Amino acid sequence: MTRTVLESKSKTVVIGFDEPFCVIGERINPTGRKKLAAELEAGEFGTVEKDALEQVACGAMVLDINAGVVYNSNPNPNETEPPLMTRMVELVQGLVDVPLCIDSSVPGALKAGLETAQGRPLLNSVTGEEERLELVLPLVKKYNVPVVAISNDDTGISEDPDVRFAVAKKIVERAADFGIPAHDIVVDPLVMPVGAMATAGQQVFALVRKLREELGVNTTCGASNISFGLPNRHGINAAFLPMAIGAGMTSAIMNPVRKVEMEAINAANFLMNHDPNGGSWIRFAKVLEAVEGGQSFPEAAAAHASSGRAGGRRGGRARRAG
Amino acid sequence: MTRTVLESKSKTVVIGFDEPFCVIGERINPTGRKKLAAELEAGEFGTVEKDALEQVACGAMVLDINAGVVYNSNPNPNETEPPLMTRMVELVQGLVDVPLCIDSSVPGALKAGLETAQGRPLLNSVTGEEERLELVLPLVKKYNVPVVAISNDDTGISEDPDVRFAVAKKIVERAADFGIPAHDIVVDPLVMPVGAMATAGQQVFALVRKLREELGVNTTCGASNISFGLPNRHGINAAFLPMAIGAGMTSAIMNPVRKVEMEAINAANFLMNHDPNGGSWIRFAKVLEAVEGGQSFPEAAAAHASSGRAGGRRGGRARRAG
């Protein structure tokens, strides 16, 4: 059984075929968030703190950290992003004890994040592009961390799922050349918007099954892409996630501060027999009751978080080699 | 591709691997509804009328009709149920133009329903019990109708999914002896409550896939059984239905007057590429908007029903042989 092991200072999270779905909180990312970008350039971290606490309270088991701000004062991210990544990683791991996902297109920022993160973070990401493979895989090997592998290459993103599978296969094989095992590759098969491509859902479900059966890898995705441009997006997301989980998807990079999507994931965990005795479901139902009673979802979730959460298992951390 | 063809006076509904999920409205059934049972014994049909109109407005493509009232004035259902079935079928098909599902454990009531229903109704149900096979299959053959086949037999309901598969296989084979094709058998693999049996969800998903791949049959279920005894049942149902649809389930006998479940089904149809261009989803999103605005779900659904609904396709009815 494929198991991708992530660690924070004292907590282990396993992404795996026999584990609850791993929710990777996507909020700490200035891309498309002008206000957050401005705050970060000004050295203000209030939003980052709030996003860290809220996401974990709502059920994020891992937090993505992206420091991709283009400073007005200095347009060279190779200079500005690494120290910002260091600062953000230090801040977040001082606040919450969950593994991190170090997310950048800037090599220096990936390295800074890897140097600063405690435990065993997830690296985000490598693609099938030659330059990226040669840049990221040595870091993955050196720091002995798992990595998200996105199924596009130098030709771009293919609409043909067979091509996207072939790209994933190439990355897994190239990683093996570096001595990186398949269980440390978490493939993102790329989710297209179903409003633009009618087969988008079916493509993902078939790809996830194939990636699992033929390459033995865990999978992830940017889940909300599926509903891009459509009305009532949460309704599409909340059906997509259980269907993807049923097909074998084991994680998603998503906004966990969303009741509807988190309810769907909690129910799907139960239906996959990844919630023994329904303990997590019953706790989540209490959160929903509190929301009915007028509390916000993060407030209600935080109030019930002390009683434990799916997948948030504690355990001794094995020291990371490298 | 397996296609189970149902007909009303002028409408054809196909249950099939390449069709939108077929919602069979379960409401017109006095089992566990004391008030409805008393009304029916008193010859009052107001609730039946309301249930027929509301269910179709909300998206039911087929209506189940069960006349199983034990009269206080006459405890013999063999005498009372057949004329009541006739009356209810006449009433419902006078009000709404959808195929019916004739549901009874009383042979005379099945016959009365088959005699009275226009078009090609679904018969509900045969089981693997010897007596039931010998009683129902000749009716299925004589009236040339499809039938729901429930996977229990004289030994009861097995908790072992392999046994339930074997019972379904036996029914399909026995039907073939009568000249009834597999595409006219809609198998109910039996959904257990996940609160009582942790593997209940996985059992159904695996069984549905196997029934489809090995026997080539359509499937149905009493969808809400999955959440029996649990808090926030709609949340479980709304994840179960998309997962079952993803596994290949093609219909369910369920309450369609439930926004959350119908939203999940509409989204799943879209994600299975059974809602070309998302037209049904976009219409459904308007219903949800009207509900947000304060309308009840049946009211909002009825207001938008005139613009068409998934699967409610009109077409010339072929005359039924036999």
Side-chain angles (χ1 to χ4, degrees):
Chain A
M1 282 286 108
T2 298
R3 291 163 55 88
T4 305
V5 176
L6 311 184
E7 291 165 352
S8 63
K9 190 171 64 179
S10 73
K11 206 178 261 184
T12 300
V13 167
V14 178
I15 305 176
F17 297 172
D18 287 328
E19 300 289 332
F21 192 67
C22 181
V23 174
I24 303 169
E26 72 180 7
R27 296 284 295 156
I28 304 177
N29 186 337
T31 314
R33 296 180 76 186
K34 278 192 185 173
K35 193 168 155 284
L36 175 58
E39 282 178 27
L40 293 174
E41 180 166 4
E44 292 164 18
F45 295 92
T47 300
V48 172
E49 288 177 11
K50 179 168 174 281
D51 283 342
L53 293 169
E54 275 193 358
Q55 289 185 102
V56 171
C58 290
M61 293 148 70
V62 175
L63 291 186
D64 190 86
I65 312 278
N66 181 308
V69 180
V70 180
Y71 282 31
N72 291 308
S73 57
N74 180 349
N76 183 356
N78 291 308
E79 292 173 9
T80 59
E81 197 175 318
L84 182 59
M85 175 64 89
T86 299
R87 180 86 189 268
M88 287 166 73
V89 167
E90 281 171 349
L91 182 79
V92 171
Q93 68 191 2
L95 271 177
V96 290
D97 188 15
V98 298
L100 303 181
C101 177
I102 306 297
D103 179 6
S104 182
S105 54
V106 171
L110 289 179
K111 219 172 155 185
L114 288 168
E115 289 288 348
T116 315
Q118 298 169 310
R120 191 171 201 245
L122 179 62
L123 199 62
N124 188 6
S125 57
V126 69
T127 68
E129 295 162 295
E130 279 305 321
E131 194 189 7
R132 193 82 186 164
L133 286 164
E134 292 304 319
L135 179 94
V136 175
L137 292 180
L139 289 177
V140 170
K141 177 62 185 170
K142 178 178 173 195
Y143 289 89
N144 183 28
V145 291
V147 65
V148 174
I150 303 183
S151 309
N152 65 297
D153 64 9
D154 296 288
T155 64
I157 297 176
S158 174
E159 294 197 355
D160 180 346
D162 292 338
V163 173
R164 302 212 299 282
F165 179 81
V167 172
K169 192 159 181 253
K170 180 180 84 171
I171 300 173
V172 170
E173 287 167 354
R174 192 69 70 87
D177 293 343
F178 280 85
I180 300 160
H183 67 246
D184 273 342
I185 314 283
V186 181
V187 172
D188 180 345
L190 287 165
V191 173
M192 310 289 183
V194 69
M197 187 193 288
T199 55
Q202 290 184 302
Q203 278 194 2
V204 173
F205 309 144
L207 266 170
V208 164
R209 208 167 273 135
K210 193 170 169 176
L211 286 163
R212 180 172 173 145
E213 285 168 8
E214 297 185 20
L215 302 186
V217 292
N218 279 308
T219 43
T220 196
C221 68
S224 65
N225 282 359
I226 192 74
S227 60
F228 181 79
L230 290 169
N232 191 35
R233 291 186 64 170
H234 298 300
I236 299 276
N237 298 346
F240 173 73
L241 285 161
M243 293 173 91
I245 291 170
M249 180 91 76
T250 48
S251 71
I253 300 175
M254 55 179 280
N255 183 355
V257 190
R258 286 293 182 182
K259 182 178 71 86
V260 180
E261 283 87 339
M262 293 306 285
E263 182 178 0
I265 288 171
N266 273 276
N269 281 338
F270 196 3
L271 293 166
M272 293 295 282
N273 195 12
H274 295 158
D275 177 9
N277 306 312
S280 293
W281 177 256
I282 289 162
R283 275 194 298 278
F284 193 80
K286 285 179 190 154
V287 173
L288 295 176
E289 249 176 60
V291 171
E292 288 286 313
Q295 275 191 294
S296 75
F297 177 51
E299 278 168 4
H304 288 82
S306 56
S307 56
R309 242 186 333 92
R313 52 191 67 173
R314 284 166 186 287
R317 166 170 83 85
R319 197 157 248 302
R320 168 153 62 93
Chain B
M1 284 287 108
T2 298
R3 291 163 55 89
T4 305
V5 177
L6 310 184
E7 291 165 352
S8 63
K9 190 171 65 180
S10 73
K11 205 178 263 184
T12 300
V13 167
V14 178
I15 305 175
F17 297 172
D18 287 329
E19 301 289 332
F21 193 66
C22 181
V23 174
I24 303 170
E26 72 181 7
R27 296 285 296 155
I28 303 177
N29 186 336
T31 313
R33 297 180 76 185
K34 278 192 183 171
K35 194 168 154 281
L36 175 58
E39 282 178 28
L40 292 174
E41 180 166 5
E44 291 164 17
F45 294 91
T47 301
V48 171
E49 288 176 11
K50 179 169 175 281
D51 283 342
L53 293 169
E54 276 193 358
Q55 289 185 103
V56 171
C58 290
M61 292 148 71
V62 175
L63 291 186
D64 190 86
I65 312 280
N66 181 307
V69 181
V70 180
Y71 281 32
N72 290 309
S73 57
N74 180 349
N76 183 357
N78 291 307
E79 292 174 8
T80 59
E81 198 176 318
L84 181 59
M85 175 64 89
T86 299
R87 181 84 190 270
M88 287 166 73
V89 167
E90 282 172 347
L91 182 79
V92 171
Q93 68 191 2
L95 271 176
V96 290
D97 188 16
V98 297
L100 302 182
C101 176
I102 306 298
D103 180 4
S104 183
S105 55
V106 171
L110 289 178
K111 219 173 154 183
L114 288 169
E115 290 287 348
T116 315
Q118 298 169 311
R120 192 170 199 246
L122 179 62
L123 200 61
N124 187 7
S125 56
V126 70
T127 68
E129 296 161 296
E130 280 305 321
E131 194 189 8
R132 194 81 186 165
L133 286 164
E134 293 304 318
L135 180 94
V136 175
L137 292 180
L139 288 177
V140 170
K141 178 63 184 170
K142 179 177 172 195
Y143 289 89
N144 182 28
V145 290
V147 65
V148 174
I150 303 182
S151 309
N152 66 298
D153 65 9
D154 296 288
T155 65
I157 298 176
S158 174
E159 293 197 355
D160 180 346
D162 292 337
V163 173
R164 301 213 299 281
F165 179 81
V167 172
K169 192 160 181 252
K170 180 180 85 172
I171 301 173
V172 169
E173 287 167 354
R174 193 69 70 87
D177 294 342
F178 280 86
I180 300 161
H183 67 247
D184 273 341
I185 315 283
V186 181
V187 172
D188 180 344
L190 286 165
V191 173
M192 310 290 180
V194 69
M197 186 193 286
T199 55
Q202 290 184 302
Q203 278 194 3
V204 173
F205 309 144
L207 265 171
V208 164
R209 208 167 272 135
K210 193 169 169 177
L211 286 163
R212 180 172 172 145
E213 285 168 9
E214 297 185 22
L215 302 186
V217 291
N218 278 308
T219 43
T220 196
C221 68
S224 65
N225 283 359
I226 193 73
S227 60
F228 181 78
L230 290 168
N232 191 33
R233 291 186 64 170
H234 299 301
I236 300 275
N237 298 346
F240 173 74
L241 285 161
M243 292 173 92
I245 291 170
M249 180 92 75
T250 47
S251 72
I253 300 176
M254 56 178 279
N255 184 355
V257 190
R258 286 295 183 181
K259 181 177 73 84
V260 180
E261 283 88 337
M262 293 305 286
E263 182 178 0
I265 288 171
N266 273 276
N269 281 337
F270 196 3
L271 293 166
M272 293 294 283
N273 195 14
H274 294 159
D275 177 9
N277 306 313
S280 292
W281 177 256
I282 289 162
R283 274 193 298 279
F284 192 79
K286 286 179 189 155
V287 173
L288 295 177
E289 250 177 61
V291 171
E292 287 287 312
Q295 275 192 295
S296 75
F297 177 51
E299 277 169 7
H304 288 83
S306 58
S307 55
R309 241 188 332 97
R313 51 189 68 172
R314 286 167 184 286
R317 167 171 83 86
R319 198 157 248 301
R320 167 154 64 93

